[in-house]
Amino acid sequence: MKPDILVLGSMWSQEMRDQLRQSFACHFMDAIPGAGDASLETIAGGIRAVLTTGMIGVTPELVASLPALEIVSVNGVGVDAVPLALLADKGIHVTNTPDVLTDDVADFAVTLLLSTVRRLPLLDRYVRDGKWPARAPLTHARSLKGKVAGIVGFGRIGQAVAQRLQGFGMEVRYFQRSAGPAPEQRSSSLLALAEESDMLVLCMPGGADTRHMIDARLLEALGPEGTLVNIARGSVVDQDALVAALRDGRLGAAGLDVFEDEPNVPQALFGLDNVVLTPHVGSFTVEARRAMGRLAVANLVAHFNGEPLPTPVV
Ligand code: 8YV
């Protein structure tokens, strides 16, 4: 008999759904069902695995309602939406999809940085709105070469971003709490990094440990000429402080792919020309999403075959 699995999220392609159905009895739900949801109650007792997205994760309530749960497979590298300690306590495995998305996410971080400093959306609007023939004034953008890029979180993605930015002639420094590679590039503190950097790229994991790590003081240190790029999680930035700093010109510019309450984005950002906004799409390529999906399924298949998990979260 195929194991019963709960598949959360609306982003699964037909290819993925067909592949999943070959090995599992699938119960698809767009989001985590609310308490007392009848459609979950009828199947909850038999669910042995949850396949979920990085953003949806699972809640402690959902875990409590699934007595036969053995494994949670996250289709994403970030596991901040998953109660890891609770799952470990219960002996429930957790897997994610590292590596296969690193290059595309790093490419996107650079795309967002360049779009922000070169103000690509503004220039596109300039042409579409017919301002070019009218010779409407435009101010010069800024270059990357010779500037300091500060990377917060120097894991796989942070290092891939650093490599790319070095290729643009930037000096790279980083900060993370734990020791990392290239100790000579590590700033003594996050505040020091913000003070030393022209552009700050956020690549750290989300979750309680990093919540609001980028606060008003940090933004102030980055300053009116500084640029912030966030491809990590909305939670790592104090969003109200960010909006205020951008609005008042205390922070130069920001490229934001992630937000505190997705898909809701503060209206106050919509009218600002020094901001580029994208809808959490760092890994949103055909190639990365296909590889992520396959790895997320491979983890489930390995578990039910009694084989080692390809990418357990440790
Ligand atoms: C996705 C992500 O948005 O990997 C992550 O942690 O944030 C993204 O790749 C998401 O996980 C897709 O399910």
Side-chain angles (χ1 to χ4, degrees), residues 2 59 70 79 105 125 166 181 236 277:
K2 293 178 183 175
T59 55
E70 297 165 31
V79 287
V105 174
R125 283 202 301 278
Q166 273 158 347
V236 304
L277 306 169

Side-chain angles (χ1 to χ4, degrees), residues 36-237:
D37 187 301
S39 56
L40 180 65
E41 266 173 23
T42 52
I43 56 162
I47 296 290
R48 297 174 63 193
V50 173
L51 175 59
T52 186
T53 73
M55 296 317 297
I56 296 175
V58 294
T59 55
E61 296 72 33
L62 178 63
V63 173
S65 71
L66 304 176
L69 187 62
E70 297 165 31
I71 180 167
V72 174
S73 172
V74 178
N75 185 43
V77 69
V79 287
D80 50 304
V82 173
L84 291 177
L86 171 75
L87 292 168
D89 265 4
K90 289 176 167 280
I92 297 168
H93 301 283
V94 180
T95 62
N96 65 346
T97 62
D99 297 318
V100 292
L101 45 55
T102 301
D103 287 321
D104 282 349
V105 174
D107 287 353
F108 191 74
V110 176
T111 303
L112 198 48
L113 176 61
L114 277 167
S115 299
T116 307
V117 294
R118 299 302 295 261
R119 291 173 309 192
L120 196 67
L122 188 73
L123 300 178
D124 181 85
R125 283 202 301 278
Y126 182 90
V127 174
R128 287 171 201 254
D129 294 350
K131 290 185 176 162
W132 195 7
R135 301 273 187 258
L138 265 178
T139 46
H140 292 94
R142 295 285 188 161
S143 48
L144 296 191
K145 191 169 177 180
K147 302 276 166 48
V148 177
I151 315 274
V152 187
F154 211 51
R156 282 174 284 237
I157 293 174
Q159 290 176 43
V161 171
Q163 229 175 37
R164 284 157 175 74
L165 293 182
Q166 273 158 347
F168 283 89
M170 297 192 82
E171 183 189 328
V172 169
R173 297 186 198 164
Y174 76 89
F175 182 76
Q176 63 181 15
R177 288 185 183 128
S178 57
E184 70 288 353
Q185 292 179 347
R186 185 169 181 264
S187 293
S188 55
S189 68
L190 183 55
L191 187 59
L193 183 72
E195 280 164 353
E196 292 160 6
S197 300
D198 300 293
M199 296 154 200
L200 214 53
V201 185
L202 307 183
C203 302
M204 66 281 231
D209 286 352
T210 55
R211 188 170 182 277
H212 288 194
M213 234 173 128
I214 307 298
D215 58 11
R217 204 162 68 113
L218 256 295
L219 298 170
E220 210 79 49
L222 191 54
E225 300 274 301
T227 298
L228 180 80
V229 167
N230 190 3
I231 51 111
R233 286 288 184 263
S235 61
V236 304
V237 179

